[in-house]
Amino acid sequence: MVANINVGNSLYGALAYNGQKVNEGEGKLLASNKILDNGTGTVDIARATADFERYLPARMRTEKPVIHISLNPHPEDKLTDTELADIAREYMDKIGYGNQPYIVFKHEDIDRHHLHIVSIRVGEDGKRLNNDYIHRRSKRATNALEKKYGLHPSGNSKQRLEQRALRKVDVSEGNVKRQVGNVLKALSETYRFQSLGEYRALLSLYNITVEEARGEVHGREYRGFVYSATDDAGNKTGNPLKASRFGKYAGYEAFDNRCATSRTAIKEKELAGRTKATILATLRQASGKNELVGILKSKGIDTVFRETDTGRIYGATFIDHNTGCVLNGSRMGKELSANALQEWVVAASSPIPTGIGTTAPSQHTGEREPFVPFTKQVHEPGEDSVTGGMFDLSIVPGTDPEEEAFRRKMQRKKKKRKGRGI
């Protein structure tokens, strides 16, 4: 069983997100503590908010008094609603929140049924509850509950990711808003990214794309997101969906905050180095682009290439599911930039296979010398602002604005060479 803990300041937002699922028939209200349950099977969100606020002092010493926990049993763990409610209560007791007001919701909108618990993390005196080693206490709690109820153990990071496995959005199945919302919520809790381009690359794995909307409202600058479902070729399908239809977690402010925290975590924990080492090792053994993608996928890393209509790579992003990090190639070093990867592809398809870490024949001695990837930077469109990107090496249609910009730059370079008589 995997537990994910998030803290915030929007009590109403957390209750509305869960309450709406219950009221729309996509979930159930399983249990509550110190909060009124009217017995109708629905949630009066305003009343629940008011009940919680009775336990929040007028003056609080913490900026984020709300705690929102999701408990995710293994898909093969078949539990009754009564068992799930008991598990939630025991979990709250074990992490020290048993006497707090809370509500337990069961989400049934995807095949993997799971629980969400909304509570507050301050006492009546306004002081924050003891939050020291909360994740360690949570892990001990889930381990104990797994043993007691005979559940599948959460295991290593790869197994935990499999438990949270998401499906691509499929417009033909209907209720696109629900499908998109499920993916956005899970990704916002699980992955680290540092730019809009990296966020788009991650979303593209699940047939979703996002565009930034800017404007002015009542004299104030507005920045928001609009999401769209796509088909497997990356073409938008159906109507666009404003971020406000999902909740704050899907909006620009949450994205911006996630980028900031991701940047810090990736640097402090040196997470990019692990991904880079795996990719470089794979480049040494792969014989071509398709094999590179396949091997990396088997190692838990998805690859999103951005290519012109002639097949030239002008951007690459790697989604490492083992570390939960989304990283543009250039962010990890020049040897994984678009130019270097394009040079590797050309070399790999040459009569004498070469690549990063392999050797090529010397023109002077006939002996083999180390092959050094081309790393001189051509002025290309920024990888961080790409607006497309497909998985499985699909080529982006020529309508992508960054692809058009790249093509124009290459045409200008060609004209300059002709002018110099090159």
Side-chain angles (χ1 to χ4, degrees), residues 312 341-351 354:
R312 178 181 174 84
L341 290 169
Q342 176 62 31
E343 183 75 4
W344 177 85
V345 169
V346 172
S349 60
S350 64
T354 61

Side-chain angles (χ1 to χ4, degrees), residues 177 184 222 225-227 239-247 250:
K177 174 180 173 291
L184 295 181
Y222 167 80
F225 279 159
V226 177
Y227 295 91
N239 298 320
L241 300 163
K242 291 183 178 180
S244 58
R245 298 188 63 184
F246 302 105

